[in-house]
Amino acid sequence: MLRLGRREFGEHEPVIMAIVNRTPDSFYDQGATFRDEPALARVEQAVADGAAIIDIGGVKAGPGEEVTAQEEARRTVGFVAEVRGRFPDVVISVDTWRHEVGEAVCEAGADLLNDAWGGVDPRLAEVAARYRVGLVCTHAGGAQPRTRPHRVTYDDVMADILRVTVGLAERAVALGVPRESVLIDPGHDFGKNTRHSLEATRRLKEMTATGWPVLVSLSNKDFVGETLDRPVKERVLGTLATTAVSAWLGAQVYRVHEVAETRQVLDMVASIAGHRPPAVARRGLA
């Protein structure tokens, strides 16, 4: 059982985490949800399309203009409070690696801290424990926040992913984070080249076999673009194919831009796997 905020999710229940970037320079939407009005409209549409989690980020993942902790908090804290008031049952996640921001958003009503940089600030897990909120434990290959990988090597990329993410998850639980609220994430593209991310996908069953719920953040990433030689705006089909493979291998939470399309893919895979009945079953019965 995965428990986040007011919500509980069964073992075979796929969960969509919709991305809402409060940044003026996000790689995919180029700041489309930087202002409050379009960001709130994005939340409303994502929830209507089937997202159970809203992931709010105040800093672009890649290199760019410096964003201080104070500015990151300014972009996210008030918005978290507004979403909490308007959507009391939605799970609110905040994508941050800083404990100061984590504390502020938890005070505002966040349910989950999405630490995409692999515990670079160990105090973030302490914040999650103190507020009894969830935590995403990600493999970033030791990379510093907002840096791109350069000639990264692993003897065995999945072995390293398992060592880091399971270690972070066990530490979080030892600190007091509820075990049922901890997820692990292979960190596609973070501290990895395209071949590493493809191998992490291919071997995802090794992560799901640990018993920790697995989150994958695949949406329109560079490994999809390089695999198919497609620019950012033409990566949806590759993303959805990778989503289907990840679902078949047991991932549970999907951080995405395209919520409605992802919902259909996950429902189809769940039905093929026997975890979900068809929405309609008339063929051959008339």
Side-chain angles (χ1 to χ4, degrees), residues 64-176:
E65 183 178 337
E66 180 186 0
V67 180
T68 65
Q70 292 75 19
E71 174 60 17
E72 183 184 356
R74 188 192 69 78
R75 294 176 179 183
T76 56
V77 175
F79 189 70
V80 167
E82 185 67 22
V83 173
R84 180 79 293 150
R86 294 194 187 198
F87 303 90
D89 294 325
V90 77
V91 178
I92 299 176
S93 169
V94 175
D95 180 353
T96 186
W97 75 87
R98 292 165 163 150
H99 75 273
E100 309 99 306
V101 177
E103 182 129 26
V105 296
C106 286
E107 285 286 345
D111 305 299
L112 176 65
L113 297 176
N114 181 11
D115 182 9
W117 290 102
V120 68
D121 181 349
R123 295 175 65 184
L124 188 64
E126 297 172 13
V127 171
R130 187 159 64 254
Y131 284 89
R132 303 288 291 174
V133 301
L135 183 69
V136 179
C137 300
T138 308
H139 180 272
Q144 290 299 303
R146 308 194 68 193
T147 61
R148 297 194 188 280
H150 180 68
R151 301 189 182 280
V152 179
T153 61
Y154 298 95
D155 291 335
D156 182 326
V157 66
M158 181 51 75
D160 204 71
I161 289 170
L162 292 172
R163 176 184 62 81
V164 170
T165 58
V166 172
L168 289 170
E170 290 175 344
R171 175 179 181 268
V173 172
L175 287 170

Side-chain angles (χ1 to χ4, degrees), residues 25 29 37 53-54 102 132 154 179 214 218:
D25 54 354
D29 61 27
E37 295 81 3
I53 306 172
I54 301 298
R132 303 288 291 174
Y154 298 95
R179 186 179 184 89
V214 173
L218 312 167

Side-chain angles (χ1 to χ4, degrees), residues 181-197:
S181 303
V182 176
L183 304 100
I184 60 175
D185 177 356
H188 288 80
D189 275 1
F190 280 57
K192 300 171 188 68
N193 62 32
T194 290
R195 288 183 175 84
H196 293 143
S197 293

Side-chain angles (χ1 to χ4, degrees), residues 18 22 32 38 45 47 51 56 60 63 97 102 112 134 146 176 181 184 189 224 232 239 262 264 269 281:
R22 303 309 315 283
Q45 187 62 56
V47 171
I56 299 164
K60 176 183 176 180
W97 75 87
L112 176 65
R146 308 194 68 193
S181 303
I184 60 175
D189 275 1
V224 175
V232 170
T239 297
T262 302
Q264 288 191 47
V269 173

